Amino acid sequence: MIDFTLSKAQQAARDYAHQVALEEMRPISLECDRTEEIPESFFWNMQRRYWGGAAAQARAYGQDEGVRQENLLSVISQEEMAWGDAALATAIPGPGLAAPPILSQGTPEQQARFLSIYMDGQLHWGALALTEPGIGSDVAGMSTTAVLDGDEWVINGHKHYITNGARADLIVTFATIDKRLGREGIRPFVVPKGTPGLIVGRIEKKMGLRASQTAELIFDNCRIPKENLLAGRGEKKAGFKAAMGTLDATRPMVGSLAVGIARAAYEAACEWLREELPAGYPPQKRRAWEEELKELGQEIEMARFLVWRAAWMADRRIPNSKEASMSKAYAGALVMKATATAVRITAPGEESERKLLIQKWFRDAKVFDIFEGTAQIQRLVIARRLFPTIDIP
Amino acid sequence: MLDFAPTEEQEEIRKLAQSIALDHLRPHARKAEAERDSSTELRLTLAQTGLTTPFPEEYGGSGPLEAVTYTLIAEELAYGDPGLALNIIGSLMGPLTVWLAGSREQQERYLPPFGDPTSGYLQRGSLAFAERSGSYTLADVHLQARRTGEGYLLNGTKRDVVHGQRADLRVVLARLAESESAEGQLCAFVLHGVQEGLSIQDEEEKLGLQAAPSATYHFHQAQLPAEALLGEAGSSGAVRAATLYQILRAAIACGTARAAFEYCSAYARERIAFGRPIVSYQGIAFIIAEMAMKLDAARLLTWRAACSWDRGEADETLIYEAESAQHQAVKMAQAATTDAIQVMGGAGFMQDHPAEMWMRDAAAME
Ligand SMILES: Cc1cc2nc3c(=O)[nH]c(=O)nc-3n(C[C@H](O)[C@H](O)[C@H](O)COP(=O)(O)OP(=O)(O)OC[C@H]3O[C@@H](n4cnc5c(N)ncnc54)[C@H](O)[C@@H]3O)c2cc1C
């Protein structure tokens, strides 16, 4: 039955995450953005309060409710995290983007071996490495290679723009085992931190999301055990398709982060109008802004519903790549509009912490049109799903 | 708990509405536009399905309306033809407002003719909502009602009243003001036996939605009897009726957009330019992808408002959600229908195809 009310677990996920965002993220947000560094205490607090506390609690409630809802619970809390600070949200300890491919393409033994690392209460991260200097959107054209040599895979190549790349304990790295096979030759490998031949290159300087670590990784005859190839399970063959498949799960997450930033900017602009608008401002201008913000508020709700629907489909195991792309494309465009509007509306008057935050969110927003598939790539995915028999290059 | 799937029963009703839309609405859309009305046969066909009598069985209805279910129905009807969908729903809003806002006595008086198995389909209802601004928002409802010794005095204007000219049951939304200056509470009145002070004008030249005939009402010191007020002043009935109309209008906008989206998609798949189907060009494919995305977004907003209506949320919540849904859905439908013509090129501009009609229909929704 169509229902837009949150269950107890869903409400709990939202409330806990909101509290954590408010107390752990907002207070250090501007400082981390300035320094591009995150204090160690943040990681430990998140480990304790988020993974150990809020998320675990919400998962427990979720189990009581007897339906699969991990995707929904996660987008609901991600929105709050991004409302706090999207860059810090990407740095929360845990397997992160490495988890989806391990879960969907690892054997039970591999899942246990790799994911248990994250259960010891210490600080661990994961990363996903697809992008290379030579290819981004066109993932199938990657040139990183993996060659089997006895009991080991030897990886050679160059990845860049990898979130948490320098701190990740495990990096799920995509490489081709035979370039002639094209996309069919692409496989995911789990490369542990500290493997000889894995070299961390530059850490990027970015316009936004500055506290999030974006690293270059070089694989120079990097040898990993044969058992670190995620070879798929049963029918589901690992490889390019599978890599793209994991994006169906992560795109709504990225969409929810965008919604969280958009909401933060919207709320701050509304508050600014109420509290900081310089006296003597023309009332018709103020009314025009209120209209604009009202419109924005409605668009934020639509973005959130698209995200929720895509996550709900994932929980129900309903194929959702079209809907996942819709949620990401819509939210990506919206967060740009929301933050740009907030910057423009709050332009008059004195500098304030609120305004600095708005400016930061504006800088953070643009990346949501880019990573996990650009705005154009999302539209391609939607169009190809709408017209499966037509070749849309 | 969040859920985005209609029930099996709703899915069946939706399919029924869709088949009616495709078999009986779409093929007659141009004729209905020219004749500025639905045919008697169509109304009989619809009545036989029970879709047009969503009020309690005791009055001959097929069971009380649920907003979510009816939102699904309204989208399908508009997918068939937006003008005819509005014709049907505009008529329904008359009896529905009596059901939602009226006293038991008023329900017993006005509803049974609509539920009559042999003649109910000939009845027309109407609900006068919009005023000079043409907008369907409650802040723009100003029609003034004042209490007098015998009843109420109405002053103001209503326009875009679907079936206003020929309705058997005319309901109007007004503000019952206790003093000259106060804006007053939203109320619904039945126009019954108004002798003087009301003039009704047919709205002949409309940009779109011609299949839903409409009229303008001018009230000048129009005297209404005391029993014309539906229910009691200040009860939620009038707000529930008004927000239901907004939600269903949002659903009509979604159906219109879906019609345009599917039609231009089929065209773009077949049409060849420079040796390839035009949809294989990103310039076209992205327009259509965008259409699909924004349609889904507006539909979800509409469903949310409908859910809240069924849950009986507070008036302010309902008003906010229903007006948001209507505003976004109409805006989306206007963009989608305009883009559909763009996708089709010159053919879209021709009356051989329905796209141009849908663009005018969407433009006439606000
Ligand atoms: C902050 C940040 C973090 C990131 N984190 C990760 C990570 O953790 N792991 C990872 O693997 N990658 C990561 N990325 C990389 C990101 O996924 C890529 O930047 C993205 O996929 C786009 O690739 P590109 O930058 O090479 O752009 P290109 O692919 O070169 O695209 C350039 C332009 O061409 C357009 N374009 C490309 N192909 C088409 C087409 N067929 N049709 C129409 N237009 C097209 C694109 O939309 C874009 O506008 C991250 C990027 C950033 C900025």
Side-chain angles (χ1 to χ4, degrees):
Chain A
M1 194 182 84
I2 297 172
D3 189 354
F4 285 74
T5 54
L6 301 183
S7 68
K8 189 172 170 210
Q10 293 158 356
Q11 192 62 54
R14 174 184 268 192
D15 292 348
Y16 288 134
H18 186 77
Q19 208 54 29
V20 171
L22 190 69
E23 292 166 13
E24 306 290 348
M25 297 174 136
R26 279 287 176 98
I28 60 170
S29 181
L30 284 174
E31 183 61 15
C32 293
D33 184 65
R34 242 174 247 126
T35 59
E36 303 180 279
E37 271 173 34
I38 300 173
E40 183 88 358
S41 59
F42 169 78
F43 298 133
W44 285 109
N45 290 346
M46 292 309 281
Q47 171 76 12
R48 179 174 52 83
R49 293 194 61 181
Y50 188 65
W51 279 112
Q57 183 65 263
R59 278 195 299 275
Y61 279 139
Q63 266 155 19
D64 288 349
E65 288 173 1
V67 293
R68 302 179 52 94
Q69 51 176 324
E70 65 263 21
N71 283 281
L72 260 178
L73 292 176
S74 136
V75 293
I76 288 169
S77 42
Q78 290 287 343
E79 177 182 332
E80 301 307 317
M81 295 284 122
W83 176 91
D85 185 310
L88 293 174
T90 68
I92 297 172
L97 288 174
I102 294 174
L103 285 171
S104 68
Q105 287 136 74
T107 60
E109 181 276 323
Q110 286 176 318
Q111 290 185 21
R113 178 154 50 100
F114 295 130
L115 294 177
S116 64
I117 295 177
Y118 297 92
M119 307 296 184
D120 68 356
Q122 299 302 306
L123 299 180
H124 299 288
W125 289 268
L128 175 72
L130 282 165
T131 310
E132 301 178 358
I135 61 102
S137 304
D138 181 17
V139 195
M142 68 178 55
S143 57
T144 298
T145 56
V147 177
L148 191 61
D149 179 25
D151 285 344
E152 290 176 325
W153 287 101
V154 186
I155 301 182
N156 276 292
H158 191 172
K159 298 281 178 185
H160 78 166
Y161 301 169
I162 307 308
T163 301
N164 291 325
R167 59 166 78 98
D169 297 82
L170 297 178
I171 300 155
V172 175
T173 305
F174 282 77
T176 171
I177 52 169
D178 185 347
K179 278 213 112 176
R180 284 165 309 183
L181 293 177
R183 54 184 57 186
E184 299 307 316
I186 293 170
R187 297 283 185 278
F189 300 87
V190 179
V191 181
K193 187 180 189 168
T195 305
L198 167 62
I199 301 152
V200 175
R202 58 183 280 173
I203 305 296
E204 303 290 340
K205 299 249 173 227
K206 308 187 293 297
M207 81 177 285
L209 225 63
R210 287 161 53 84
S212 175
Q213 183 190 70
T214 310
E216 177 187 32
L217 298 174
I218 296 134
F219 299 85
D220 181 15
N221 283 320
C222 179
R223 290 176 168 269
I224 53 166
K226 204 170 140 190
E227 299 76 40
N228 283 17
L229 164 68
L230 297 173
R233 283 180 291 148
E235 296 287 283
K236 273 204 193 156
K237 279 246 327 245
F240 180 75
K241 269 227 168 88
M244 296 297 107
T246 67
L247 295 178
D248 295 346
T250 55
R251 279 175 180 157
M253 309 291 166
V254 177
S256 67
L257 292 175
V259 174
I261 301 175
R263 193 183 103 216
Y266 161 80
E267 285 175 5
C270 292
E271 285 160 15
W272 183 88
L273 266 190
R274 272 199 308 274
E275 296 165 16
E276 283 182 47
L277 181 72
Y281 228 72
Q284 65 272 29
K285 199 149 197 176
R286 185 198 174 109
R287 268 199 302 279
W289 284 339
E290 280 166 354
E291 274 303 304
E292 222 178 312
L293 286 171
K294 190 171 150 198
E295 186 88 30
L296 210 50
Q298 296 170 354
E299 288 169 358
I300 290 171
E301 291 186 311
M302 290 193 283
R304 178 182 300 127
F305 296 158
L306 285 174
V307 166
W308 283 357
R309 178 189 56 174
W312 171 87
M313 290 174 80
D315 285 334
R316 295 285 171 103
R317 299 286 186 264
I318 304 170
N320 74 339
S321 65
K322 182 180 80 186
E323 290 78 8
S325 281
M326 283 180 174
S327 72
K328 202 255 164 192
Y330 192 96
L334 170 72
V335 70
M336 282 303 298
K337 181 175 169 185
T339 53
T341 304
V343 166
R344 180 165 41 77
I345 288 179
T346 60
E350 302 291 302
E351 188 175 278
S352 66
E353 170 146 331
R354 184 177 283 144
K355 278 166 95 165
L356 289 176
L357 275 171
I358 289 174
Q359 288 165 12
K360 172 192 180 297
W361 295 327
F362 173 72
R363 288 184 287 104
D364 288 347
K366 186 57 193 159
V367 77
F368 290 89
D369 260 350
I370 298 170
F371 62 6
E372 298 268 326
T374 65
Q376 289 74 28
I377 296 304
Q378 305 305 333
R379 280 160 181 78
L380 263 184
V381 172
I382 298 168
R384 285 176 182 156
R385 296 282 158 175
L386 289 173
F387 301 97
T389 58
I390 307 258
D391 179 31
I392 307 177
Chain B
M1 175 175 303
L2 294 174
D3 196 334
F4 298 92
T7 61
E8 270 174 40
E9 194 192 345
Q10 287 170 331
E11 194 52 39
E12 262 168 42
I13 295 176
R14 194 188 65 75
K15 284 202 183 112
L16 169 68
Q18 184 177 49
S19 70
I20 301 244
L22 288 175
D23 297 344
H24 299 283
L25 268 53
R26 183 77 63 92
H28 302 302
R30 285 292 183 186
K31 187 161 161 278
E33 180 177 46
E35 292 176 358
R36 302 202 302 122
D37 207 353
S38 58
S39 66
T40 321
E41 302 87 78
L42 174 61
R43 293 203 274 151
L44 181 58
T45 307
L46 280 162
Q48 284 162 348
T49 63
L51 291 179
T52 49
T53 47
F55 40 83
E57 278 135 5
E58 52 185 311
Y59 303 123
S62 52
L65 168 143
E66 282 172 354
V68 171
T69 309
Y70 221 84
T71 297
L72 300 172
I73 297 170
E75 176 176 332
E76 295 306 328
L77 296 178
Y79 172 67
D81 182 62
L84 283 170
L86 186 62
N87 179 313
I88 295 159
I89 283 159
S91 172
L92 256 183
M93 284 314 300
L96 284 175
T97 306
V98 170
W99 169 55
L100 292 166
S103 65
R104 185 150 185 99
E105 203 186 327
Q106 289 166 322
Q107 293 174 351
E108 283 168 359
R109 178 167 173 198
Y110 294 112
L111 292 179
F114 285 85
D116 188 296
T118 53
S119 63
Y121 71 98
L122 294 170
Q123 292 285 313
R124 286 169 199 263
S126 71
L127 175 65
F129 189 138
E131 303 188 2
R132 282 215 171 77
S133 72
S135 95
Y136 281 79
T137 49
L138 283 174
D140 282 344
V141 171
H142 301 297
L143 180 70
Q144 194 193 55
R146 299 267 306 282
R147 252 185 253 277
T148 64
E150 308 88 275
Y152 302 92
L153 215 51
L154 263 58
N155 277 295
T157 300
K158 288 285 177 187
R159 47 168 275 205
D160 201 29
V161 189
V162 175
H163 298 299
Q165 184 79 299
R166 288 200 277 156
D168 304 281
L169 172 62
R170 290 192 180 91
V171 183
V172 294
L173 293 178
R175 297 273 171 194
L176 183 56
E178 298 302 337
S179 70
E180 196 73 51
S181 56
E183 173 66 357
Q185 285 165 318
L186 188 77
C187 289
F189 292 90
V190 175
L191 299 185
H192 199 85
V194 188
Q195 307 294 346
E196 272 173 36
L198 168 62
S199 76
I200 299 180
Q201 262 166 10
D202 210 354
E203 294 170 351
E204 280 176 16
E205 306 246 328
K206 290 206 294 187
L207 172 63
L209 298 169
Q210 277 108 325
S214 62
T216 299
Y217 296 169
H218 293 288
F219 297 90
H220 182 70
Q221 300 285 79
Q223 178 73 46
L224 267 60
E227 66 268 20
L229 175 66
L230 285 176
E232 284 162 27
S235 69
S236 288
V239 170
R240 288 185 62 75
T243 49
L244 177 64
Y245 200 13
Q246 291 168 332
I247 293 166
L248 297 181
R249 292 177 67 90
I252 290 176
C254 290
T256 308
R258 197 177 104 222
F261 158 69
E262 287 189 12
Y263 197 88
C264 80
S265 294
Y267 187 90
R269 205 182 282 127
E270 301 300 323
R271 176 74 180 171
I272 307 289
F274 302 94
R276 282 161 46 188
I278 55 172
V279 77
S280 70
Y281 297 104
Q282 289 188 357
I284 295 294
F286 286 9
I287 292 177
I288 297 178
E290 192 105 351
M291 238 186 239
M293 171 176 91
K294 291 186 173 163
L295 166 58
D296 280 12
R299 182 190 288 122
L300 288 167
L301 203 66
T302 306
W303 284 2
R304 193 267 307 255
C307 278
S308 295
W309 198 93
D310 285 335
R311 288 161 48 85
E313 294 286 350
D315 288 358
E316 313 82 75
T317 309
L318 283 187
I319 294 169
Y320 167 72
E321 293 184 0
E323 294 191 349
S324 298
Q326 181 184 232
H327 173 63
Q328 294 296 338
V330 169
K331 199 171 80 165
M332 177 279 299
Q334 290 172 346
T337 51
T338 309
D339 286 344
I341 294 186
Q342 190 61 31
V343 164
M344 296 172 64
F349 198 70
M350 303 301 154
Q351 299 208 320
D352 298 343
H353 296 283
E356 63 82 28
M357 180 169 63
W358 293 332
M359 180 178 147
R360 289 184 288 106
D361 288 343
M365 284 179 192
E366 231 175 8

